[in-house]
Amino acid sequence: MARLLLTVLLLLPLLPALAQQTRDELRRSIYFGGGSYEIDEFQADALYHWLDSIPDLLEKYHLQLISHTDPIGGRAFNEWLSEMRGEAVLQLLLQKNIPSYKINVKNWGLDNPVYSNETYNGMQLNRRVDVILYPIIY
């Protein structure tokens, strides 16, 4: 119950960003602790469940991973951390038998934050990898 409450509290600030996403785009975020690139079992299971809920995933979508960090630790550390977070989510997708050619990874690090790094809550929300599914257009 506590994890569910934590997830709900983390998702509430995302509502404005979700409203801005394109109509056919699907998105899920994986959140990390400060300085961490470890994905807990709860988030891995939630990602797998979400992917399983999408009919014809591999036939209809390309996957984009966009990795973000907060500014704590400086540029070099955050570039490395962003790469590690992107790689951790990539490995989850590969374990799910999603072919690597269907996945593109962009590691933003501390550049282009969606949320303000001037607040603790904003920094928490910037510690994430967004898994975005873009529809294949024929």
Side-chain angles (χ1 to χ4, degrees):
M1 184 60 132
R3 283 187 181 212
L4 178 60
L5 179 59
L6 177 61
T7 301
V8 169
L9 291 174
L10 284 172
L11 292 177
L12 283 176
L14 297 177
L15 292 177
L18 292 174
Q20 293 176 353
Q21 73 186 34
T22 64
R23 183 180 215 184
D24 296 326
E25 169 189 309
L26 302 173
R27 178 184 301 245
R28 179 158 192 101
S29 297
I30 303 293
Y31 294 93
F32 298 87
S36 173
Y37 58 89
E38 293 183 29
I39 302 170
D40 66 44
E41 184 179 328
F42 176 74
Q43 290 194 94
D45 289 345
L47 177 64
Y48 286 163
H49 179 73
W50 178 68
L51 292 169
D52 288 341
S53 74
I54 300 168
D56 303 319
L57 172 71
L58 296 177
E59 292 79 29
K60 293 184 179 180
Y61 295 94
H62 285 292
L63 289 83
Q64 171 86 39
L65 305 181
I66 302 178
S67 179
H68 300 273
T69 65
D70 63 30
I72 297 172
R75 181 162 298 280
F77 174 74
N78 279 290
E79 287 174 3
W80 171 82
L81 184 58
S82 184
E83 289 176 20
M84 297 303 292
R85 287 176 177 171
E87 181 65 24
V89 176
L90 174 64
Q91 290 305 313
L92 278 180
L93 296 176
L94 295 175
Q95 290 173 18
K96 187 74 174 148
N97 295 318
I98 295 176
S100 61
Y101 69 86
K102 299 287 278 179
I103 306 166
N104 184 39
V105 181
K106 174 63 179 160
N107 300 309
W108 280 113
L110 54 82
D111 295 325
N112 298 315
V114 173
Y115 303 97
S116 171
N117 281 316
E118 300 299 317
T119 67
Y120 180 74
N121 189 49
M123 285 192 292
Q124 282 185 308
L125 292 171
N126 282 327
R127 298 175 191 146
R128 72 183 191 290
V129 172
D130 295 323
V131 180
I132 306 170
L133 306 181
Y134 290 103
I136 297 172
I137 299 173
Y138 297 98

